[in-house]
Amino acid sequence: EVQLLESGGGLAQPGGSLRLSCAASGFTFSSYVMSWVRQAPGKGLEWVSGISGSGGSTHLADSVKGRFTISRDNSKNTLYLQMNSLRAEDTAVYYCAKDSSSGSTVEAIEFWGQGTLVTVSS
Amino acid sequence: SHELTQPPSVSVSPGQTARITCSGDALSNQYAYWHQQKPGQAPVVVIYKDTERPSGIPARFSGSSSGTTVTLTISGVRAEDEADYYCQSADNSRTYVLFGGGTKLTVL
């Protein structure tokens, strides 16, 4: 059974940093593209970033380029999102998501974690 | 184009058929997925690759595709189907995951 468990959310000040983690199990983690998707309060889903199975290819949404970094540790079956220069508009539930793609490009979200809340406020 | 367009809301009575559309240029070359999200819960895939239904999803959920538009159809709608529904695809270079703005399905 696929399981994705996010952690690391919480309260951060504007301009501050947070690192999210996602522990994966139930599938061959290193074989699949993984993504982070966020949802601001009362709003829709927004894809944030994706990373290939090897970690050699990463992609970021324009809204977070230059501030967020996605990475993974396949020896620990863990996905990360380093968030710097945080803004109020980054406040959202952040979901870890497994892609259907086993290549280096994104395709489709096929499984979701339960999410972790990030609040950016002074 | 990086946009997928959905109607903000759809309302139907129990037992009727609900149809939710999603339009975008990317859909002519990429598969569509449909995600159901109930309040306070993570999304769940109800349709993948335009028309396929994951195990455990009721047969009343179906998907179709024509050109740059895909449609999620829920036949014999039940009160438990009330939720937000999001279509999802990828841009043609598969650099970005795309989401529609979401459709709130209300069961009257």
Side-chain angles (χ1 to χ4, degrees):
Chain A
E1 178 190 4
V2 173
Q3 292 193 358
L4 301 172
L5 184 60
E6 302 95 336
S7 61
L11 178 64
Q13 293 196 339
S17 299
L18 277 178
R19 188 176 84 154
L20 305 183
S21 299
C22 171
S25 61
F27 64 102
T28 305
F29 180 71
S30 61
S31 293
Y32 288 92
V33 171
M34 297 292 293
S35 284
W36 288 98
V37 179
R38 69 184 180 183
Q39 186 171 36
K43 302 297 184 182
L45 301 170
E46 178 190 15
W47 177 81
V48 172
S49 186
I51 185 168
S52 63
S54 68
S57 179
T58 62
H59 304 285
L60 290 165
D62 291 344
S63 59
V64 303
K65 275 181 183 174
R67 300 188 299 122
F68 290 12
T69 303
I70 190 171
S71 62
R72 64 194 297 160
D73 185 336
N74 288 341
S75 69
K76 296 181 179 179
N77 286 357
T78 302
L79 176 72
Y80 302 101
L81 184 68
Q82 178 66 44
M83 304 186 294
N84 298 331
S85 301
L86 283 164
R87 306 167 179 169
E89 54 264 36
D90 295 319
T91 294
V93 173
Y94 284 74
Y95 293 100
C96 170
K98 176 184 178 294
D99 200 287
S100 59
S101 172
S102 57
S104 61
T105 57
V106 300
E107 181 174 306
I109 305 299
E110 64 174 7
F111 194 83
W112 300 77
Q114 287 303 303
T116 186
L117 176 63
V118 171
T119 302
V120 183
S121 175
S122 55
Chain B
S1 172
H2 287 189
E3 294 186 351
L4 297 177
T5 301
Q6 301 179 231
S9 62
V10 168
S11 299
V12 295
S13 299
Q16 298 301 304
T17 296
R19 294 181 178 86
I20 300 173
T21 59
C22 174
S23 299
D25 291 342
L27 297 174
S28 63
N29 296 305
Q30 303 297 327
Y31 284 122
Y33 286 60
W34 288 95
H35 304 263
Q36 176 195 66
Q37 187 180 35
K38 296 181 179 180
Q41 297 184 19
V44 172
V45 175
V46 293
I47 294 291
Y48 67 98
K49 292 186 177 180
D50 292 349
T51 61
E52 302 297 315
R53 193 175 59 250
S55 60
I57 300 301
R60 63 180 180 274
F61 287 86
S62 64
S64 61
S65 175
S66 178
T68 59
T69 298
V70 294
T71 302
L72 172 68
T73 300
I74 310 172
S75 304
V77 167
R78 298 185 177 185
E80 68 212 51
D81 299 329
E82 187 164 282
D84 293 325
Y85 291 85
Y86 295 90
C87 64
Q88 179 256 300
S89 188
D91 72 305
N92 286 330
S93 65
R94 294 192 183 178
T95 301
Y96 302 98
V97 171
L98 306 175
F99 285 101
T103 299
K104 181 176 181 59
L105 175 66
T106 300
V107 182
L108 301 171

